[in-house]
């Protein structure tokens, strides 16, 4: 069974850090680009970051550039999102997803999605 499972969300104060994980089972992530998306209540799901399968190139939304870092460990079949200097506006459910095309934040090209993990940034 193909599955993506996110973990690592939680409640953190502004300025704090969280590290999210996206573990795959039932298939290998080696040949997929991976994206992280987020969705706050009443808003559309937006792309946060992605990493390619080929050369590990990365891309970040302007809103998180310099604060978030995406990485992958193919041996562990896992992708990570390190989030630093968190702001209240980062509060959302965070999802990981896979695509076969490359490093892009276009939602339509992503096929497998995880169930999401809640991140809340509040004092």
């Amino acid at each position: 069974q193909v599955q993506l499972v996110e973990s690592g969300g939680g409640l953190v104060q502004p300025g704090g850090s969280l590290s999210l994980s996206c573990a795959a089972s039932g298939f290998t992530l080696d040949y997929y680009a991976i994206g992280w998306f987020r969705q706050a209540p009443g808003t559309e799901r937006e792309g946060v970051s992605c990493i390619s399968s080929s050369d590990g190139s990365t891309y970040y939304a302007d809103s998180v550039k310099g604060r978030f870092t995406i990485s992958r460990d193919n041996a562990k079949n896992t992708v990570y999102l390190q989030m630093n200097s968190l702001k209240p506006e980062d509060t959302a459910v965070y999802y990981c997803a896979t695509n076969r095309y490359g490093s892009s934040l276009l939602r339509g090209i992503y096929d497998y999605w995880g169930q999401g993990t809640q991140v809340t940034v509040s004092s």
Side-chain angles (χ1 to χ4, degrees):
Q1 181 183 0
V2 173
Q3 196 172 16
L4 291 171
V5 178
E6 302 95 336
S7 62
L11 173 63
V12 64
Q13 292 187 343
S17 298
L18 281 176
S19 181
L20 304 184
S21 298
C22 171
S25 60
F27 70 109
T28 178
L29 286 177
D30 293 30
Y31 305 109
Y32 291 85
I34 309 298
W36 283 97
F37 294 78
R38 65 187 182 187
Q39 187 169 20
T43 69
E44 289 194 358
R45 194 170 297 186
E46 63 171 355
V48 173
S49 180
C50 55
I51 185 167
S52 72
S53 61
S54 54
D55 59 3
S57 59
T58 58
Y59 181 82
Y60 298 92
D62 287 343
S63 58
V64 306
K65 202 171 294 183
R67 301 187 297 122
F68 290 11
T69 303
I70 190 171
S71 61
R72 63 191 300 159
D73 185 339
N74 288 342
K76 294 183 178 180
N77 222 26
T78 301
V79 174
Y80 305 96
L81 185 69
Q82 177 65 41
M83 305 187 296
N84 299 328
S85 302
L86 283 162
K87 305 175 181 180
E89 51 262 44
D90 294 318
T91 296
V93 178
Y94 283 71
Y95 301 88
C96 64
T98 65
N99 86 73
R100 299 171 185 260
Y101 301 101
S103 185
S104 168
L105 292 181
L106 291 174
R107 271 187 307 168
I109 66 172
Y110 284 83
D111 38 29
Y112 298 125
W113 290 82
Q115 83 292 344
T117 185
Q118 176 70 47
V119 171
T120 302
V121 185
S122 174
S123 56

